[in-house]
Amino acid sequence: MSGARFGSLLEGLPASPQPDELFTTLAALPGSRIERIVSTGQSSPDGFWYDQDWDEFVLLVAGAATLQVEGEGDRLLSPGDWALLPARTRHRVAATAAGGPTVWLAIHAGEPGSGTGAE
């Protein structure tokens, strides 16, 4: 058996808004973590900025979101849009669509404590 895994980023989405975003780790590889994030109208708290020690690549799969990058302003993201956020790039989610799930694929590269194998 090869150990291959398959799935759908659009499977099992919530039918109604949730109190919090849903984070699902799809794979934890040496130095990297791949996750699905499902937002249902959430945004980063006022004044909060992500400021990570690792690179992050995000792809908006479904829905819509406004991403703020410090010093670069707002960027409206639609399905298929992606961003590469190098380590120490301060960013936040200003808004996500409230009318249905917003689905992100996030790849964290060089993250301390990332897994050592597939989960």
Side-chain angles (χ1 to χ4, degrees):
M1 193 163 179
S2 71
R5 295 175 55 204
F6 299 88
S8 171
L9 294 174
L10 302 177
E11 185 176 75
L13 297 177
S16 60
Q18 301 295 302
D20 298 308
E21 288 182 301
L22 305 173
F23 296 86
T24 304
T25 297
L26 304 174
L29 308 167
S32 299
R33 182 170 51 90
I34 302 169
E35 70 181 346
R36 178 183 81 167
I37 305 167
V38 179
S39 309
T40 53
Q42 290 86 5
S43 61
S44 299
D46 288 339
F48 173 83
W49 292 88
Y50 290 98
D51 188 2
Q52 304 162 163
D53 291 331
W54 57 89
D55 300 329
E56 182 177 6
F57 173 90
V58 293
L59 167 69
L60 195 82
V61 177
T66 302
L67 186 65
Q68 290 180 334
V69 176
E70 188 175 56
E72 296 183 28
D74 293 359
R75 180 69 71 115
L76 179 61
L77 301 177
S78 300
D81 292 341
W82 58 270
L84 177 61
L85 304 161
R88 307 267 44 114
T89 300
R90 288 171 45 99
H91 62 285
R92 62 187 306 277
V93 178
T96 59
T102 294
V103 180
W104 309 77
L105 177 68
I107 301 171
H108 303 270
E111 181 181 29
S114 292
T116 56
E119 289 190 343

